[in-house]
Amino acid sequence: MIHITLPDGSVKAFDQGVTPMDVAKSISEGLARNVISAKFNGTKVETVTPLTTDGSLVLYTWKDDEGKEAFWHSSAHVLAQALEELYPGAKLTIGPAIENGFYYDVDFGAHTISEKDFKTIEDKMLEIARGKHDFKMRSVGKAEALDLYKDNAFKTELIENLEDGTITFCDHSTFTDLCRGGHIPNTGIIKAVKVLSVAGAYWRGDENKPQLTRVYGISFPKQKDLTEYLELLEEAKKRDHRKLGKELELFTFSQKVGQGLPLWLPKGAALRERLENFLKAAQKKAGYDMVVTPHIGQKELYVTSGHFAKYGEDSFQPIHTPKEDEAFLLKPMNCPHHCEIYKNSQWSYKDLPIRYAEFGTVYRYEQSGELHGLTRVRGFTQDDAHLFCTPDQLDKEFKDVIDLVLYVFGALGFDNFTAQVSVRDPENPDKYIGDVSNWEKAEQAIINAASDKGLDFIIETGEAAFYGPKLDFMVKDALGRRWQLGTIQVDYNLPERFDLTYKGSDNDMHRPVMIHRAPFGSMERFVALLLEHTGGNFPIWLMPVQVKILSLSEKYEKYAEKVLNLLENHEIRALVDHRNETIGKKIREAEMQKYPYMLIIGEQEENQGKVTVRKHGGEDLGMMVIEDFAAIIEEEIGKTLKSF
């Protein structure tokens, strides 16, 4: 007998060789019908894998992320079989599940593939799926594996890097693929598929290696799930921040300036400034001091911090000066500069904590194929801050930063989020710097603070920064997509590398603990997410222009200007549309520009000293005096923008 521990802590005894599916059936037939994947003692297994030892078992359905991963990984196999049958001679490479769906990288040789082929591929996939073929894993010797793929240099390269005895294949139908496992029971569970797009992709992400064709797809256990997803995709296209950014005149790019270097237009600059002022006001109340650091630093600064070793390949090349052996780098991070500011003074434990904040622009040389609007750029501004505190102050300071992040999210309408504690991977110590004991202290400090604040968090191994663990906030937007925004990190290592000290109550010198913190993450990425989350309908306190005044004709220009002045007295941002256009056209264009309110002015409004109020989206609020309208806006702002 073996003993299986379930997620609720219960333990059940089974005969040796029991499978996860058998365990599911022992719980309920309904569960067994829905189970599509499993994990045993932390390792992905098939639902038919015999279990031979005591251990912990987790069963996954389509509703679980792990279940979706197995579903989409299995669907990638079906896609690969379809492509192999439709395009003889095509060479398969790799095909993983991704956050939404899957892809497969293929060398199609003489074949070409375009959107007109998508329906044929989908039909072939569904034909294969309807066969209800079981996914079966088997171990293969290295020689046999190499022989099977002797005509596929890509698979051969993968196999040559594997140890004999660790190589496994997955079979279904007439198809075989090199695979580590993690599948649904059979292809019949796949009921709906969609080929989404094709793109170029270099083998193993190396632009010096062959270019392949990446085929993206998604699949579902029900047709209605696919229909809903495609509707979301259409909505996402409407909300694409690149499209909205152009329509709302927020930002642009120029090839002459350079790829990945956004240019902020007047309305976008005003939006950024408002976000900065919002956070600066909260930071001031929380005891932060603003600092300013250069856009460049000597190479040695980043060698000391460890950033050169970590980001050197992803940074712009060193800037060499007329002085021999002198080199500067565009800064990849602000923290080394803040360490040097701290080091400028001598500190006592009575002075700590010290909190430095900066909206500092940093630079990373992202590959051109990775650039994407504002979400992936080469120059971006971080709402960065670094706190230097005693070990005894760490818990309170970390919790205070959590409060600040939650305040930012609340004011901007991000109420659907989870927290992720990102810790080091003990199996890959070379990825990190610093003493293990310091890492353990830092990780435990974050876990304790997140628990005490009541955050719903998960622990992700291997996702820590190279200098310390972190608490990341994963936000789900209006389309259900997850983004990593705010981050808080605990760092014992940079204070060591920069020899930062303070005098303790015992008159000895001690190392401060450093907290890295960025509620927005970066201004660019945050604005992109905010655009897509809101569809450009920002919270009214953030809108560059809150009100558009629309006059019915030129006769009412003077009254329109009077209304504008009254709004400005109430600190309401407004513009007047004096153009000789129909009121219908003015309203349509104001709707396109996402103005929260329109004030329509004609003879009746002028005679009564009032305005007719129309809300974005078409709601008519009727006629009212300016003071009543101002009260509506003030109340709306007060609901979201509470003081920190």
Side-chain angles (χ1 to χ4, degrees):
M1 299 291 286
I2 60 172
H3 294 86
I4 304 297
T5 303
L6 299 173
D8 63 0
S10 62
V11 179
K12 299 186 75 172
F14 295 93
D15 291 334
Q16 196 174 54
V18 68
T19 68
M21 185 59 75
D22 294 331
V23 175
K25 288 177 180 176
S26 76
I27 298 171
S28 77
E29 285 297 327
L31 177 62
R33 283 193 298 272
N34 290 303
V35 164
I36 57 175
S37 181
K39 188 174 285 186
F40 186 65
N41 286 339
T43 301
K44 287 185 290 188
V45 295
E46 311 296 303
T47 58
V48 294
T49 300
L51 308 179
T52 58
T53 64
D54 294 348
S56 298
L57 178 68
V58 184
L59 300 169
Y60 299 118
T61 70
W62 167 255
K63 294 180 180 179
D64 302 304
D65 289 343
E66 293 84 351
K68 288 183 175 68
E69 181 183 7
F71 193 95
W72 287 329
H73 171 67
S74 305
S75 299
H77 282 284
V78 176
L79 170 63
Q81 181 183 357
L83 295 175
E84 197 171 70
E85 292 182 9
L86 291 170
Y87 302 95
K91 291 182 171 59
L92 304 173
T93 67
I94 57 172
I98 53 179
E99 185 173 1
N100 282 302
F102 51 89
Y103 69 77
Y104 216 109
D105 286 347
V106 184
D107 179 357
F108 280 100
H111 300 288
T112 57
I113 182 172
S114 65
E115 192 170 347
K116 64 181 176 60
D117 303 305
F118 290 1
K119 178 67 165 55
T120 302
I121 297 169
E122 291 162 6
D123 289 344
K124 175 60 72 172
M125 290 181 68
L126 288 173
E127 177 189 321
I128 294 167
R130 283 193 290 268
K132 297 184 179 180
H133 307 290
D134 292 340
F135 288 97
K136 299 176 181 178
M137 295 295 297
R138 60 187 170 96
S139 296
V140 180
K142 193 167 188 175
E144 181 185 347
L146 288 170
D147 182 63
L148 179 67
Y149 287 112
K150 60 179 179 292
D151 296 325
N152 186 328
F154 306 103
K155 295 286 191 183
T156 297
E157 182 180 326
L158 294 174
I159 294 166
E160 284 175 343
N161 290 320
L162 299 174
E163 294 293 327
D164 201 356
T166 65
I167 301 169
T168 52
F169 282 180
C170 178
D171 302 322
H172 77 270
S173 181
T174 59
F175 181 75
T176 294
D177 204 357
L178 177 70
C179 182
R180 283 195 293 253
H183 304 92
I184 58 179
N186 65 73
T187 62
I189 301 170
I190 302 168
K191 302 293 187 183
V193 299
K194 184 70 177 176
V195 177
L196 298 171
S197 63
V198 292
Y202 291 108
W203 170 235
R204 313 205 76 166
D206 187 340
E207 60 186 9
N208 298 312
K209 292 186 176 181
Q211 189 171 47
L212 308 168
T213 299
R214 178 168 293 177
V215 183
Y216 286 96
I218 196 163
S219 57
F220 294 91
K222 295 179 181 178
Q223 180 62 42
K224 77 176 186 64
D225 293 335
L226 174 59
T227 301
E228 290 171 358
Y229 179 77
L230 295 178
E231 289 172 354
L232 274 180
L233 277 187
E234 286 304 309
E235 181 63 24
K237 288 178 184 177
K238 297 175 189 174
R239 291 171 177 252
D240 189 310
H241 76 276
R242 295 167 298 178
K243 174 178 177 287
L244 290 174
K246 184 176 182 179
E247 291 174 357
L248 301 179
E249 299 174 344
L250 298 178
F251 61 87
T252 189
F253 290 89
S254 163
Q255 288 296 322
K256 287 186 178 179
V257 173
Q259 285 185 300
L261 300 171
L263 300 171
W264 291 88
L265 305 177
K267 289 181 181 178
L271 176 71
R272 278 182 58 130
E273 182 180 25
R274 202 156 287 112
L275 282 169
E276 287 187 17
N277 291 340
F278 157 70
L279 187 55
K280 283 177 180 176
Q283 287 177 164
K284 186 175 181 180
K285 289 182 180 179
Y288 288 77
D289 292 311
M290 295 300 297
V291 297
V292 178
T293 62
H295 290 249
I296 63 173
Q298 287 201 87
K299 176 183 173 182
E300 187 58 35
L301 176 70
Y302 309 113
V303 171
T304 299
S305 69
H307 288 97
F308 183 76
K310 205 70 183 173
Y311 293 108
E313 293 183 0
D314 295 325
S315 296
F316 288 84
Q317 290 301 300
I319 304 166
H320 295 282
T321 71
K323 184 177 178 181
E324 189 176 356
D325 297 328
E326 185 176 57
F328 289 80
L329 291 177
L330 290 170
K331 66 176 176 182
M333 285 287 190
N334 298 300
C335 36
H337 297 249
H338 291 187
C339 286
E340 288 297 303
I341 292 178
Y342 176 91
K343 199 171 181 180
N344 178 64
S345 302
Q346 293 181 337
W347 303 102
S348 159
Y349 72 97
K350 296 179 181 179
D351 302 313
L352 270 55
I354 302 295
R355 308 179 187 96
Y356 294 138
E358 175 182 18
F359 287 89
T361 302
V362 298
Y363 303 89
R364 310 265 179 82
Y365 191 78
E366 302 284 359
Q367 295 297 318
S368 59
E370 298 292 327
L371 299 174
H372 182 81
L374 293 181
T375 60
R376 201 71 180 266
V377 289
R378 288 174 172 168
F380 54 95
T381 302
Q382 293 180 310
D383 57 320
D384 230 345
H386 296 94
L387 296 76
F388 303 87
C389 62
T390 69
D392 290 342
Q393 294 168 335
L394 175 60
D395 184 64
K396 180 182 184 304
E397 290 299 308
F398 197 93
K399 289 175 181 175
D400 286 348
V401 176
I402 290 176
D403 289 338
L404 179 61
V405 172
L406 297 182
Y407 168 67
V408 168
F409 285 5
L412 291 160
F414 291 116
D415 52 8
N416 190 353
F417 64 88
T418 56
Q420 175 179 303
V421 178
S422 300
V423 299
R424 71 197 187 290
D425 180 359
E427 301 298 320
N428 291 289
D430 293 342
K431 288 174 59 178
Y432 314 101
I433 61 174
D435 184 72
V436 171
S437 64
N438 283 338
W439 273 90
E440 290 173 348
K441 285 190 289 186
E443 289 170 350
Q444 196 57 51
I446 293 177
I447 291 169
N448 290 345
S451 298
D452 290 349
K453 295 301 292 185
L455 293 180
D456 176 21
F457 69 92
I458 60 171
I459 297 177
E460 285 289 348
T461 301
E463 294 299 317
F466 73 92
Y467 49 78
K470 54 183 180 168
L471 177 65
D472 293 326
F473 290 84
M474 314 301 291
V475 172
K476 187 172 281 190
D477 70 10
L479 299 176
R481 300 170 302 185
R482 284 182 297 186
W483 303 74
Q484 190 245 303
L485 281 186
T487 185
I488 319 171
Q489 304 163 1
V490 175
D491 182 4
Y492 282 84
N493 291 309
L494 288 191
E496 185 77 31
R497 293 173 82 97
F498 280 92
D499 192 24
L500 306 184
T501 59
Y502 68 90
K503 183 176 285 188
S505 58
D506 56 2
N507 284 326
D508 287 338
M509 304 307 291
H510 300 271
R511 296 266 184 243
V513 184
M514 189 173 175
I515 299 175
H516 306 244
R517 177 238 76 180
F520 293 150
S522 80
M523 295 297 290
E524 287 70 17
R525 195 162 184 265
F526 191 84
V527 168
L529 173 54
L530 192 60
L531 266 171
E532 298 193 0
H533 179 60
T534 63
N537 299 306
F538 299 123
I540 192 168
W541 67 266
L542 187 57
M543 291 294 290
V545 178
Q546 297 165 318
V547 179
K548 194 73 175 282
I549 303 169
L550 311 178
S551 58
L552 289 175
S553 75
E554 296 175 356
K555 291 191 298 183
Y556 310 110
E557 282 188 13
K558 286 186 178 179
Y559 183 59
E561 291 298 330
K562 180 181 178 181
V563 169
L564 178 63
N565 292 333
L566 289 171
L567 291 175
E568 289 174 346
N569 290 339
H570 287 279
E571 297 185 346
I572 295 171
R573 300 182 289 278
L575 289 175
V576 179
D577 188 342
H578 282 310
R579 295 176 304 155
N580 187 24
E581 298 284 358
T582 65
I583 192 65
K585 183 174 181 180
K586 289 182 178 181
I587 289 173
R588 285 193 301 273
E589 292 181 358
E591 285 284 344
M592 285 283 292
Q593 288 289 312
K594 314 286 187 182
Y595 294 113
Y597 289 95
M598 287 160 263
L599 301 185
I600 299 169
I601 290 173
E603 182 178 4
Q604 188 178 6
E605 286 81 8
E606 183 178 39
N607 290 339
Q608 296 186 34
K610 295 181 178 181
V611 292
T612 294
V613 181
R614 177 188 171 98
K615 199 169 183 178
H616 174 64
E619 184 182 356
D620 187 355
L621 302 185
M623 286 179 62
M624 63 185 73
V625 297
I626 291 297
E627 287 72 19
D628 290 344
F629 173 65
I632 290 174
I633 289 189
E634 288 167 8
E635 181 182 1
E636 188 173 338
I637 292 173
K639 286 179 180 177
T640 55
L641 196 57
K642 299 179 177 67
S643 61
F644 178 64

